[in-house]
Amino acid sequence: MVARWDCASFALVIVVGLIFSVAEVCNGGRTSSFVRNDQLSHDMPLDSDVFRIPPGYNAPQQVHITQGDYLGKGVIVSWVTPDEPGSNLVLYWGENSELKRQAEGIVLTYKYFNYTSGYIHHCTITNLESDTKYYYEVGIGNTSREFWFRTPPQVGPDVPYTFGLIGDLGQTHDSNRTLTHYELNPEKGQTLLFVGDLSYADAYPLHDNSRWDTWGRFIERNAAYQPWIWTAGNHEIDFLPEIGEDIPFKPYLHRYHVPYKASGSTSPLWYSIKRASAHIIVMSSYAAYAIYTPQYKWLQKEFQKVNRTETSWLIVLMHCPFYSSYVHHYMEGESMRVIYEPWFVQHKVDVVFAGHVHAYERSDRISNIAYNVVNGLCTPISDLSAPVYITIGDGGNLEGLVTEMTEPQPSYSAFREASFGHGIFDIKNRTHAYFSWHRNQDGYAVEADSLWFHNRYWSVSEDYM
Ligand SMILES: [Fe+2]
């Protein structure tokens, strides 16, 4: 009797085991079981050291740089002087050069309801030498401030280059941890790809724009030394017609300039750059993108300009992801996906980075482009010409993490975890790049997720993921 029960139990275990293993096959990849502190983080107080105002009358603050042209031989230097316009000049010189050059910029101000901005300077420096360290100086007299940056190597298909990835950063203690982790990551990102939602000033009454200023001072410690490539998110819209603020993106567009004209774009919300071995396309989830719109027409032309023998890696940045399996913001990117996904497959985009969802997720190479309304083919399928979609909206803002996930994990989702962190996309040559995701709770060198990328254009075998 006892022996018979044992057999029955054994059979039951086998059956249950089979059910679970079938469920495993039906589901997608891995959902991390990492346990995190789920307490909501507040914005750092105004007297935090990270928001410190540089000493001295009218001292330049909120210094940040971005690429200033199409090929990486230009830099836009931006800064704010609080009391008066001051000087528009940037003084700059190469590491091994005695010759100091100067470039003249422009100065802007704007009002947002009862807020008046400081004097926002933008100065484009052009014709820089490749792969060279430059020092630069802004401001006048004893309140002038000096910084440095390194230009990228000349564009070429095998140039190694390391991009950092941060999204939805905000200005909480978690945001500070994310930025510190990025700065101390031994992989050393050389340029940061920022996938939208910057300051979260719009969380405050009347979208208190002084929180745009604190954010500018917070990121200066990194953004003054390496370019941050900007993507606009929904928290940049700042649309508040009930108080007369009916011009979308007003604070963002005054504060963060990008070289959109260099790529033939008519709007700073969508543009592209070439940098080292990458062609990087920035799209706007919050500007018109349907067929016939300026963004659509521009991207159609831009894809024709991509030359993989020159820039082997093709990267797309946007704020709202096409593929995310979190409950929050689920399917918000769907209308844009329907329009653009066929192009991503056709042009063999290597990777699409997005934010918006405050968590991390990496997809398999899949596409969902066969559906034609009547054929019922509406499930993503494995597609080696398709990009990997990475959601990296886990910078650490005051809205906290999204932890609720759709269940079961969809087949397109390879790995997902709701933790704050940043990414590194490390291009080795024309065929290989290494992506790693770094969770804030870990040591600086720890990779919580990683993937070798085999270039979609240059892969020697179609079997490579
Ligand atoms: Fe967002």
Side-chain angles (χ1 to χ4, degrees), residues 448-464:
D449 183 41
S450 63
L451 183 73
W452 272 105
F453 275 72
H454 298 263
N455 188 285
R456 289 302 92 189
Y457 184 87
W458 289 104
S459 277
V460 289
S461 163
E462 276 293 290
D463 295 338
Y464 283 124

Side-chain angles (χ1 to χ4, degrees), residues 130-160:
S130 298
D131 204 8
T132 303
K133 185 172 182 180
Y134 281 91
Y135 293 90
Y136 68 99
E137 192 180 295
V138 291
I140 308 170
N142 61 0
T143 57
S144 68
R145 299 181 66 208
E146 187 180 303
F147 305 88
W148 57 264
F149 59 80
R150 177 170 280 280
T151 53
Q154 205 161 357
V155 164
D158 287 304
V159 179

Side-chain angles (χ1 to χ4, degrees), residues 168 196-197 200 233-235 286 319-320 329 355-358 399:
D168 305 69
D197 283 0
Y200 287 76
N234 54 306
H235 287 278
Y286 306 104
H319 185 62
C320 185
H329 299 315
H356 198 41
V357 177
H358 299 164
E399 291 179 349

Side-chain angles (χ1 to χ4, degrees), residues 14 19 33 50 62 104 117 161 165 172 218 239 263 277 280 296 301 319 331 381 399 404 419 429 442:
I14 296 284
I19 290 169
S33 57
V50 297
Q62 305 176 51
E104 186 168 8
S117 75
Y161 204 75
L165 286 138
T172 71
F218 162 50
F239 180 66
S263 59
S277 44
I280 298 164
Y296 181 96
K301 275 191 190 162
H319 185 62
M331 285 184 72
I381 56 164
E399 291 179 349
E404 199 181 348
S419 290
N429 53 37
D442 294 333

Side-chain angles (χ1 to χ4, degrees), residues 339-410:
I339 297 167
Y340 290 101
E341 190 183 20
W343 286 357
F344 290 6
V345 175
Q346 181 192 341
H347 296 285
K348 293 180 182 280
V349 171
D350 290 293
V351 57
V352 178
F353 292 107
H356 198 41
V357 177
H358 299 164
Y360 171 73
E361 186 165 24
R362 171 172 59 79
S363 80
D364 285 324
R365 290 198 184 278
I366 40 91
S367 70
N368 189 1
I369 55 179
Y371 183 56
N372 71 353
V373 180
V374 292
N375 63 6
L377 301 175
C378 53
T379 303
I381 56 164
S382 178
D383 186 341
L384 291 179
S385 291
V388 169
Y389 293 87
I390 292 179
T391 302
I392 187 105
D394 56 346
N397 63 71
L398 78 180
E399 291 179 349
L401 288 165
V402 293
T403 53
E404 199 181 348
M405 303 172 185
T406 60
E407 300 292 354
Q409 185 169 9

